[in-house]
Each structure stands twice: as structure tokens, then as C-alpha cells.
Amino acid sequence: MYITATALALLLMGCRSDKTQYYEKHLVFPEGATIEQKVDMASRLVPSRQQLQWQELELTAFLHFGINTFTNREWGDGKEDPKLFNPTQLDAEQWARTLKEAGFKMVILTAKHHDGFCLWPTKTTSHSVASSLWKEGKGDVVKELKEACDKYDLKFGVYLSPWDRNAACYGDSPKYNDFFIQQLTELLTHYGEIHEVWFDGACGEGPNGKKQIYDWDAFYTTIQKLQPNAVMAIMGDDVRWVGNEKGLGRETEWSATALVPGVYQRADSVNKALGLSSTSKDLGSRELLARANELFWYPSEVDVSIRPGWFYHAAEDQQVKSLARLVDIYFESVGYNSVLLLNIPPDTRGLIHENDVRRLRELREYIERTFATDYSLNGNRKITGREGDSFEIDIQDNVPVNTLMLQENIAEGQRIEAFTVEASVNGAWNTIAEGTTVGYKRLVRFDSLIADKLRITITRTRADFSLNRVGLYYAQPLIEGVNASTATILLPKSCRIGDQNAPRAIDGNQTTAAYADGLTDLIFDLGEAKSLKGFCYTPVAEGNTEGTIFRYNLYRSNDCKNWEPVAENTEFSNIKNNPIPQFVPLENVAATRYLRLQPLEEINGKAKTSIAEFGVIP
Ligand code: FUL
């Protein structure tokens, strides 16, 4: 029985006790509430039925597929010829089979990305598969995939980009909202059950672009009416973006957060007053509760691509993330109280590429092998207790272990704030790990050891804790493989940023960077004139990312005086959220000695410039 029903029953019987009251999804603290009262209420904030079912899926696959697959881009501009969309062997069953075998429980397809190109024959626009050559315009990718998911017993979700660079009515707010609701209605009525609707928050229109005010309430109502079992993600209030596209969750991850979901009108002002954004490190500590007036059950979803980009690029065939990297991602997402949303982009044939299939298989085998044997003898039971309580886990004789799994009963809320793990080796106790939040699932990694027992102490909790399960495993240590890039990069002989030399931009080291105030031109000297196939701008990925270039012009010259444009008002798509090296192909460029990269817009609109690395592809 679902817990809120219990609360309701007690309420109806007129014997309401504060200790049995649960708050589904949202709670408001009474005025003047003390921190103790707030902590107690926070411990009884619980997920909705949909959120709980969503969390239990653990692994969801993302499929970025669309016109970008055929234009080799990450963000399309909406001006693409729909005829370019022409997968030669599209096989949605191959996608579903591969993903099912890899252990995924749900699949989310980019039904429409920012370019506005629809993968189903929508009535709202001609920018869709209906205008493509694929199946002579009679195909429907959404339908084919949904049928394949049904066949392989996978749940299905849709990504529908609110930002639309093709729709003529984008920016005419009421008109575009109607257009968008019509698209949503088509997706949510024609294809059977849909379990997640993903609205990303991107909008790269820039300061002078079209301003669209979205009617989130109407979008939400549409979803609730047509697909009451679906969760609304990212620009929604059911599922929260973890805050990066690297596959990295927070070690301290509260599902009960003070962050107001972006779809609420008050979100900007409240979050600003609390100093919060989706990238904040702390979203739910006591210190934050003390300042907050309301809390949301708003669990984290970690989205990351198996390759550097979200869409398929042949040049990235050798850059599929290593098994070691993917395993770390698994531990730092599923193991950090999040759902992992792993992107596997189908290629231009319309198939999941062999390299990705192979890696997914390795990942599945690794996870299965690791969690097949629980070496704890008495962990698979409900364990309850109060702050300071310890409990012991007996271990099979003589087996090495290095992974502890803890699972809180989140149907009653997320409560544990800190715990320690001790091991008894030959009768002597030693602390082997310490942790903070647990939530739906916490995987704790420690150095392999053979112990008689483990002792877990819940040192801080918001209310009496309740664990559904404790498990002990052995995860084979992996060594990071080398990800080779296929492109040969040539470093320029010198780089100037404004009037300063910037050797750090061309030292072949992505962890050093050059910075300048203002939007400042970068001039690169290749030493001699060379014919160029492309260039690569690498932004700062960690630490001070101020100055990352979003929009730019590129010029060439052979005397450093007379400059000829090569690319004008061009963007490094999605560089803010996914700060990977930006490979840009150049066509028909005469032999060139000097390149000038002129920043037009920084990722946050600041007057700064930075660069970690620059190279050309000869
Ligand atoms: C972002 C988009 O801009 C990227 O292209 C990608 O779709 C990612 C998952 O979401 O907002």
C-alpha cells in the first residue's frame, strides 16, 4: 500500500498524528518553523507514485537521432533540407534489443531537437520525416521505436525540445505554445503509453534572439491529462537535471531539495534568494532548510553520452567511453541516488554502431557479474533504527569485498544524513568508509578486504531510518583504457590573445588555459601556410570556465594584416553544458598561415575570453 494512503486514512479517522503525515512531492514550512520542525517535515517528504516507479528503473537509454545525424552537427539551425534525413538501414528493433540486453528499462528518443525536425509525421510542420526521402516520406521513427520497445518490454519516453529554430511562430508566445501543445498531443495520443517527457532547458538564441515565454502550466496539464503515468523531466517538476553532462552525480544527493523547479513562476526569484541553481553543490542540507520556505521531492537524473557528442559523428567512432569510465559513471549516478540516462546515438545507417554495442555489452556483463553475488549473509532485510544506531552485517568466509550497497525506503522519505562503515578483520575494527546521503541507492566503494563482519552506524538522520536492503559485493578493479582520437591535431607555433602571448593555449595540455578580459581576438600563427581540413577549440572543462567562447567569427590570412572571413557568426553548439573539444570542419579554405578567432559571445554573456587549447587539422 502506498504510504500517503495511510496518512489519508488516519486523517479521515480523525486521529491524525504529525508523525504519520507524509507530504507528497511538495511541502511548505509553516511560518516561524524551527529548524527541528523543518528537519522533521523534510524527513516525511515522499515521491509521487510516478517518481518512485521512475527511480526504480535506475537505467534509462537516451537516443539522440535526427537531422543532426546527417549534417554531422550537435545543434541544427532549423534550415536543413529535410531530404538529408535518409537512414539506409534504420532498424528500431536493433536499438531496442541492444538496449534491453544492456539492462536498460526505458528508452527516450529525441522526437524533436532544437532544429525543429520531427521524427514523426506531424501535422504541425513540414520539417519532418514526412518530407524526407526515408521510406518515401511514409516513415515514422517514433512509431517504429515504440513498437520495438513494446516488443522488448521497455518503457518509452520522448524528448521534445521547447526551443525550436525552425518554427516560424517561435517567439510569438501564445501561437508557439499552441503549436507545441499540438506536437505534444500528437506524441502523447498516437503511440500508446509514454513514461517520461523530457523538456531540455537549452536556448541559444542569445541576447537579440527571439524571446519565447513558455506556458509550462499548459504543457504540464496536457501531460497529466493524456499520460498520467509519465514523469516530466528537466523543465518539469518530477525529475531534476543533475547539473552537468559528464555523468557525475553528487556524493551528497538530496531528492528532497530546496531548489524550485524551473517551471514555476517563482523559481527564478526564490532560487536566486537562496543562491541556488541546478548546478549548486548543496540542494538540501540542514543549513539550506533553515533558509528555505518550501521543499520539493525533485530527484536527480544524470544524463551523459557514451561518446563526446550527443549525436552520432563518424569521427567519434573510436571515442566511445571506456568500460572503466562507464563503470565510474554507473557508480557515480545510480550509486549516488540518481537515475542514469545514458545516450547512445544511432548512426547514419539508422543502427547503433558496433563499437557502442560492444561497449554496452561489456558494461552489462560487468554490472551483472558484480551484483550477481551478495556476500552479506544477513543484509537482505528491512533494517530500521534511530540516530546513532549500528547494525552488523555478517560476511561469507574468506571472500574479498569492496562495494557496499545501501537502499533507503524512500517511500517514507529520504532521511539518512551521515553514516560510517567499519570492518572487523581478525577481530579488530577499523573504519573503512564514511558517507553522507543514501536515498534510493548508495554504492560505497572501498579498498578490497576480507573481513568477518561490517558494522554500519547511522551517525546522523532526520528521523528514524529505514533501509530496504544492504548488500556486499566485489567489483573487479578496472584500468582506464586509452581513448584514441582519429584526428591528427597540429599545434600552432604561437598564439596571441589581444596583445599578450598565450603559450598555454597551444601547449598540448588541456588542463592549462589562457584568459583575457573582454571579448578578445585570438591570433594563431601556423609557422607556414598550410591547407586545412578543420580546427579544434578546446574550452576550459574544469575550474574557472569564464570566457568560454559560444559564438564566434573565424578569419584567415597569410600576412596577419589582410583578413578574409572563413566562418561568420557561428556557434560552438552546447559548449556550456558539454565543454568538450570542438572539432570544426573547414571546406575549400586556401592554404593559410594565420587564423583569427574572434569571440562574439561568451557562454554566460560575460566580457571575458578563455581557451584551454587550439589546434588545426591539416
Ligand atoms: C541539451 C541540448 O542542448 C543538447 O543538445 C542535448 O540534447 C542535451 C541532452 O540537452 O540541453
Side-chain angles (χ1 to χ4, degrees), residues 62 64 74-75 113-114 159 198 200-202 245 303 310 574:
F62 221 173
H64 273 67
E74 281 288 293
W75 280 1
H113 204 252
H114 311 329
Y159 173 117
W198 221 87
D200 70 286
E245 295 182 359
D303 60 322
W310 288 100
N574 201 28

Side-chain angles (χ1 to χ4, degrees), residues 22-30 37-38 40-46 256-257 266 293-297:
Y22 290 89
Y23 306 93
E24 188 176 298
K25 234 178 138 178
H26 179 227
L27 68 80
V28 178
F29 295 126
Q37 287 167 330
K38 286 182 164 186
D40 178 54
M41 284 176 76
S43 76
R44 286 178 284 117
L45 178 62
V46 297
T257 72
R266 62 185 183 283
N293 295 323
E294 56 181 332
L295 282 190
F296 296 83
W297 187 272

Side-chain angles (χ1 to χ4, degrees), residues 226-238:
L226 301 175
Q227 295 286 346
N229 288 327
V231 289
M232 178 163 153
I234 316 311
M235 295 310 290
D237 72 347
D238 292 308

